[in-house]
Structures are given as C-alpha cells and as structure tokens.
Amino acid sequence: MKKLTALLLSIAILTCILCGCGAQGASLTEEEKNTVVIWHDKEEAVSEALSDELKRLVPDVTVQLEYKSNLTEALKMVGNDPKAAPDMYFFAHDKIGVYAEMGILAPITDLIDKETLTASCVDMTLDAAAYKGELYQLPVYFETLLFLYNRLYMPDEKVPGTTEELYAYMEEKTRGGHYGFVEQHSTAYYSAGWIHGFGGCIMDENGNVGLSSPETVRALEYHKKFVGLMPGESEYATVNTLFQEGKAHATIGGPWLVSASRAAGMDLGIAPMPVIDETQIPISPYMGVQGVQVLKFAAENKTEAVKKVLYALMQPEVGISLARVSGCAPAVEACYENDEVASDDVVMAMREMAENTIPMPNRPEMDVMWTVAADMLVNINMSGQDVKESCAAAQKNAEELIKKMQ
C-alpha cells in the first residue's frame, strides 16, 4: 500500500500547492461558510427527494446538490482543492479507502458522536462505513441482493428454504430451455454470497486475500453443481432476460430488477436466501451502503453548516422519502416504524437481509480483487478448470498485483 499511498499523497500535495489550500479557510465569507456543495451520481428521483427534504429541514443552509457522472475520478483529481472540490459527496461506501488514503476525508465522528450514530443506524451500515478504525460515512440507505421468484411457476409453498431444496427444484424444472434457477454465477459480486455462506471471503476487512482458503474452495466446489444446471452464459442481460421472459423460475438479483419485473406484469415473490445445508448459514451476499462523506476542508471551515446537514440526513423523514421514491432501505432504524416503509416488501426484505450480509470491502485493493476473482470464476465455472488449482493461482496473482500497489 506504500506506493499507492505515496502516489495519492503526491497528487494531494501537488494539488494543494497549485491551489493554495492552506489559506482558504480564513478567506471564506459568511455566505460561503453557510453553503454546502454535495456531489452525487444518483438518479433524478433520489436527488430531488434529498433536495426537497434538506430545504425543509435546514432552510438556513444553502445546500447545492451537483450531479457528477464520473464522480470517483473527479474526486481523485480535485479532492484537495477547496475551490474545485465539493464539501461532501454522496456515494457508495466501497471507495472510502481510496479517499481516506489520500487524506481528504474527515471522520464522521468529528462531527457526530459515535453513540448517536450507533443508536440511530442499522449496525451493518456502520460496519461498512469503517476504515482502519475510523467511521468515514454517514449511511443514508443500503442495497443488497434478493431471492426473487415468479409465482406463475414457483408458488410460495414451493420456495426452497435450503440450497439442497433449491438444487432438487432445479433438477426437476430445468429442461427444454427453461431453468429452475439462474444467477450471474461467474461474477464475483454474485458468487460472494455462496463464499460467505461457507465462511470464506474474497478479501477480509484487514486486506487479506481469501481466494485459496479452505472455506472458499469448499464453497466453489459446492456451488459448481448448481452452475451445471444454469445456462453457460451468465452475464447480466442473459440472466435478467431469462427471468423476465418466464424462462427462469427464480433468480438472485438486486432491487433494481424488482420494478422491471413488476412492470412486465410478473407476479413477483421475494423470499429469504436459502440456507446452505452444510453450514446452516444462508447465502450471504454483499451489502452496498450509500451515504455522505465529508471532505476535511469543509469539516474544518464549514463546521456548523455541515453538522446541520448531517443531522438533517439522519432524520427519519429523509429515509422514508427515499424509500418511497426508489425502494431503497433506509439506514436509520426509526424509518421502519413508518407504516409505508413497513408495508414495502422490497424494503423490508432488504432490512431482514441486512442481518446476513457482508459489507463490500472498502479497501483500495478491491479494484484488483474484482478482476482476479472474476477471472477465477470463469476458469472454474465456464472453462471446467480444477477448483483448488484455480483458487491457488488466483490467490498468487492477487497477492502479486497488490504487492505492486504497495
């Protein structure tokens, strides 16, 4: 990580020198101190809901939500330039490590005490916000994969409660171009749920690569028999088309698939993930948490305005409004006391799933891991290579690539 850190710090220092960061704080006017700029890459419905709620909750602060299509790269370039950078950005938690290593983020606990966060937020969302012992994100909502099924073919009483029941269903129903169950089996984000269900990992919270661990090998050996009853092509378009056209009875997909399936007239069911018979642990997918991160300059020079915005975003009304317009699961526990939220089957399915999910690692090394793990899965599931040998080769490759980053 030393080389990566040095590179990021060099970029930060050079930017600071060019832009004269050091003297900016003293030159802010009262109007500037009371203006908070938030970058985001969210759909219009989400940004409008956020804007409306912030105008209502903090009318004395001017909050400017600015859409950035390439937010992550833009932050790398201008994160240390107060004239060009935002005060906050609204994004997924998995890039926290990159910006923390650059030194541009302020811990959220500098602005909101940890006890307040712990009392307010779903536990797993705070786990996602942590990097090297500090909390860098205020969670606002989260997403995870769901077990989805078409009631036309799989009635509620036939939904498998265990993976062996799922396999038996697949054996019975997979024929003539129809499949009992499909998923993106050779994509790391989807296969991770099976790996976690055996106690394995792609990378743990300390940055240790877990591709060749006995648990990961065991998981992929077990998963391979399910893959044998799925189509050879497993990319997003193929899997979702099969499901929405009624050629697959069930799938594992994100909440984004729910609206499309219902719009197509499907009687869609949502169920808990099947429990893996060998471990008695459910398939446990990754969780992605969306929230706000605060840049150091804003935390130090716009402290009061930033605090007001953060506390406003913790109000249940914000999470309820976002759940209403986009079906996302609020990070604030109190939102689930609202009748509208409690009656939303997608939101509540994700809330229940939160107990059996793993936050996506937020370390910079994961940029390497996604590619290495995907190549490993293709070798195992699509090229028929030996599981143990493929995992060992992927482990070695990942460790060598990460070493080059250091």
Side-chain angles (χ1 to χ4, degrees), residues 13 44 66 78 81 83 108 150 169 173 184 192 197 200 231-232 249 253-254 272 313 330 362:
I13 291 168
E44 189 174 346
E66 297 183 3
V78 304
D81 177 6
K83 291 182 178 179
I108 286 294
N150 187 337
Y169 184 90
K173 301 294 184 180
Q184 292 175 245
H249 299 188
L313 289 170
N362 58 23

Side-chain angles (χ1 to χ4, degrees), residues 154-219:
M154 181 185 280
D156 293 344
E157 63 271 16
K158 293 288 186 180
V159 175
T162 71
T163 53
E164 286 303 304
E165 289 176 5
L166 174 62
Y167 186 71
Y169 184 90
M170 293 171 72
E171 284 190 306
E172 179 186 351
K173 301 294 184 180
T174 301
R175 61 171 62 89
H178 283 252
Y179 299 89
F181 170 76
V182 296
E183 64 175 341
Q184 292 175 245
H185 54 68
S186 295
T187 301
Y189 179 71
Y190 286 80
S191 292
W194 295 83
I195 293 171
H196 298 151
F198 277 81
C201 68
I202 293 174
M203 171 174 278
D204 69 17
E205 65 274 13
N206 297 315
N208 300 308
V209 180
L211 298 181
S212 67
S213 72
E215 295 82 6
T216 299
V217 171
R218 188 175 161 213

